[in-house]
Amino acid sequence: MKIPIKEAINSGAWFNCKCGYDATDEYDFKLKVLSFDKINLGEIDNPEKIDIDLASGVLWLMKMQIISLNKTAVIRSPKYFIYVIDQDDFVYNYINDSYLALFSNYARLSGLYNFFAVNFMPKIKYTGAIAFYLPDENEAEYYISVEGGNIQEV
């Protein structure tokens, strides 16, 4: 299942996500998408340190809130399970660039740092962001989904 990102933001809805790679590696969490915007490279200190060809695509920032529904702390960030899908069903994973998400000043200001290396405790609300590298298309429609596609409004 995939949820239109614009609708998720406008509704303010929470979504239950049940995902993982197999039955022994399940991860349950709720998420709420707060915003999804193109990143202004002028806001990033030393964007040349980002290990991506920034001339070929566009960086987007998805701000969200996450609540872990697992019974114990989870070391792995939910970002590993969250995807953006375009109107043509092309799937995009988050950008795992350590400078952008960990070492830059922008990482802390944008919320990228908050989901980089954290233990997600049960029932605690975490606010942060995930970056995506997407084609430069003006009229694209984007959707959010998770590993296994099990995402639904609460």
Side-chain angles (χ1 to χ4, degrees):
M1 180 171 205
K2 60 186 184 180
I3 308 295
I5 293 175
K6 287 180 186 175
E7 287 181 25
I9 295 167
N10 292 337
S11 73
W14 282 92
F15 296 90
N16 276 337
C17 304
K18 187 176 198 66
C19 48
Y21 300 113
D22 57 42
T24 63
D25 186 27
E26 288 185 351
Y27 192 5
D28 298 333
F29 59 94
K30 290 193 320 190
L31 74 80
K32 179 189 223 182
V33 181
L34 303 174
S35 64
F36 188 60
D37 299 300
K38 289 181 181 180
I39 295 175
N40 176 351
L41 295 180
E43 295 177 6
I44 302 172
D45 46 306
N46 303 310
E48 69 279 359
K49 292 184 178 181
I50 299 171
D51 193 23
I52 298 169
D53 180 8
L54 297 173
S56 297
V58 179
L59 288 172
W60 286 72
L61 186 73
M62 182 183 291
K63 291 186 179 182
M64 63 181 64
Q65 293 179 321
I66 302 278
I67 299 173
S68 175
L69 300 177
N70 283 47
K71 299 290 184 187
T72 59
V74 177
I75 296 170
R76 193 171 347 164
S77 173
K79 70 182 180 183
Y80 294 107
F81 302 103
I82 298 171
Y83 305 125
V84 166
I85 301 171
D86 70 11
Q87 71 280 354
D88 300 316
D89 288 329
F90 286 89
V91 178
Y92 302 91
N93 297 330
Y94 74 99
I95 293 302
N96 192 24
D97 183 86
S98 58
Y99 179 75
L100 177 64
L102 182 62
F103 298 116
S104 68
N105 290 330
Y106 181 78
R108 292 191 190 281
L109 295 173
S110 66
L112 286 168
Y113 181 83
N114 299 355
F115 288 165
F116 195 81
V118 117
N119 288 333
F120 286 84
M121 302 301 292
K123 296 184 177 180
I124 304 291
K125 185 188 308 178
Y126 294 87
T127 302
I130 302 173
F132 293 90
Y133 184 58
L134 303 172
D136 191 6
E137 298 176 345
N138 291 330
E139 301 301 319
E141 279 294 318
Y142 292 112
Y143 304 83
I144 187 169
S145 190
V146 295
E147 179 75 29
N150 195 342
I151 180 172
Q152 55 188 341
E153 190 171 343
V154 176

